[in-house]
Amino acid sequence: MSHREVMEECRLFYLGGQETTSSLLVWTMVMLSWHREWQARARDEVLQVFGHDSKPDFNGLSRLKTVAMILNETLRLYSPGVALDRVVSKETRLGDMNLPEGVQIAIPMLLVHRDPELWGEDATEFKPERFEEGVSKATKNRAASFIPFGFGPRICLGLNFAMTEAKIALSLILQRFSFELSPSYAHAPLKVLTVHPQFGAQLLFRRL
Ligand code: HEM
């Protein structure tokens, strides 16, 4: 690879990896502030696995079932990516549609994730218990109904890295603090590359 290509790859990793994971973390904190019972459940699990002082290790992270459910439910409702873009490489029949070569399509994952036909009448509600028995059970084996990291050969390269990073950050926070939203918080998700809280997410932390 040329120096330029290496630099481009580094940029892609930084942009694709940093913004997305921080978006996931911030919405998870907002969700756990709104749903304090899930914050308590997640903390109980983290304290059970790591105690109050130990640093999260890889073995322990794989035992964080409740935290994983919460992250998946947040990814469903607030997918950092919003939509997937594709270009049709050769004429393709998809259901009753004929897609000519060269056509650009956008798959609005955020709408798919909130579709009542796929997720039920409570599709817009935060219910991590949907993921209690894993992603395939939650999607009833319809993989295309949960695509926060995309799908197919171009699925996100950093999927496992991002989930590990989010679990570590969340564990360190839950071990030490309880948190809630400040009264000044205004819920206004806005898409600027990824989905951000437009006016920030002011959180009040209390050391445990
Ligand atoms: C919560 C965090 C993340 C989310 C939601 C996310 C989401 C996505 C999505 C939707 C795609 C497009 C997939 C497709 O078109 O099918 C993608 C691609 C990609 N992501 Fe992520 N991502 C995250 C974190 C990361 C991290 C941490 C890295 C790197 C360290 C990363 C690196 C990449 C790369 C290199 C691609 C392009 C893959 C390709 O085209 O072959 N992502 N990501």
Side-chain angles (χ1 to χ4, degrees):
M1 288 172 98
S2 67
H3 272 107
R4 190 178 173 83
E5 282 168 336
V6 173
M7 278 164 62
E8 294 295 339
E9 290 297 305
C10 291
R11 279 196 191 142
L12 173 66
F13 268 61
Y14 189 69
L15 194 78
Q18 205 263 341
E19 284 289 313
T20 45
T21 313
S22 71
S23 161
L24 167 60
L25 266 175
V26 82
W27 291 119
T28 305
M29 305 282 285
V30 170
M31 291 300 107
L32 292 184
S33 300
W34 275 347
H35 304 275
R36 301 296 293 270
E37 70 287 7
W38 282 102
Q39 187 182 142
R41 280 180 68 172
R43 182 173 299 104
D44 283 351
E45 181 178 71
V46 167
L47 294 180
Q48 215 174 345
V49 175
F50 299 122
H52 287 270
D53 305 312
S54 313
K55 278 192 185 159
D57 59 24
F58 202 70
N59 276 345
L61 291 177
S62 61
R63 287 165 43 211
L64 297 180
K65 203 179 146 191
T66 305
V67 171
M69 284 157 54
I70 290 168
L71 290 173
N72 277 332
E73 183 66 344
T74 308
L75 281 168
R76 184 181 72 82
L77 289 172
Y78 295 91
S79 321
V82 182
L84 292 175
D85 300 315
R86 290 290 187 271
V87 177
V88 179
S89 59
K90 63 171 196 272
E91 189 173 341
T92 307
R93 185 112 198 122
L94 186 69
D96 54 4
M97 277 186 297
N98 201 32
L99 303 175
E101 183 183 330
V103 161
Q104 294 185 11
I105 50 175
I107 303 156
M109 68 167 91
L110 210 55
L111 297 184
V112 173
H113 290 171
R114 288 166 175 253
D115 184 349
E117 274 187 34
L118 297 170
W119 293 95
E121 284 311 311
D122 58 0
T124 54
E125 289 170 35
F126 178 78
K127 289 190 165 177
E129 62 267 33
R130 296 176 209 276
F131 290 95
E132 186 120 46
E133 292 174 66
V135 172
S136 352
K137 267 275 163 60
T139 58
K140 303 189 182 77
N141 287 320
R142 293 172 300 203
S145 52
F146 184 62
I147 43 172
F149 293 99
F151 196 65
R154 304 311 294 261
I155 195 168
C156 175
L157 199 72
L159 190 164
N160 290 326
F161 181 84
M163 289 304 266
T164 305
E165 207 181 6
K167 282 185 192 171
I168 293 175
L170 207 56
S171 298
L172 290 170
I173 294 169
L174 287 164
Q175 267 179 324
R176 289 162 181 79
F177 301 98
S178 80
F179 51 89
E180 61 187 297
L181 279 164
S182 148
S184 64
Y185 173 73
H187 191 62
L190 177 76
K191 189 200 164 206
V192 188
L193 213 60
T194 56
V195 183
H196 294 270
Q198 186 178 356
F199 308 111
Q202 298 79 17
L203 287 152
L204 304 171
F205 286 82
R206 270 194 200 88
R207 188 171 275 284
L208 295 170

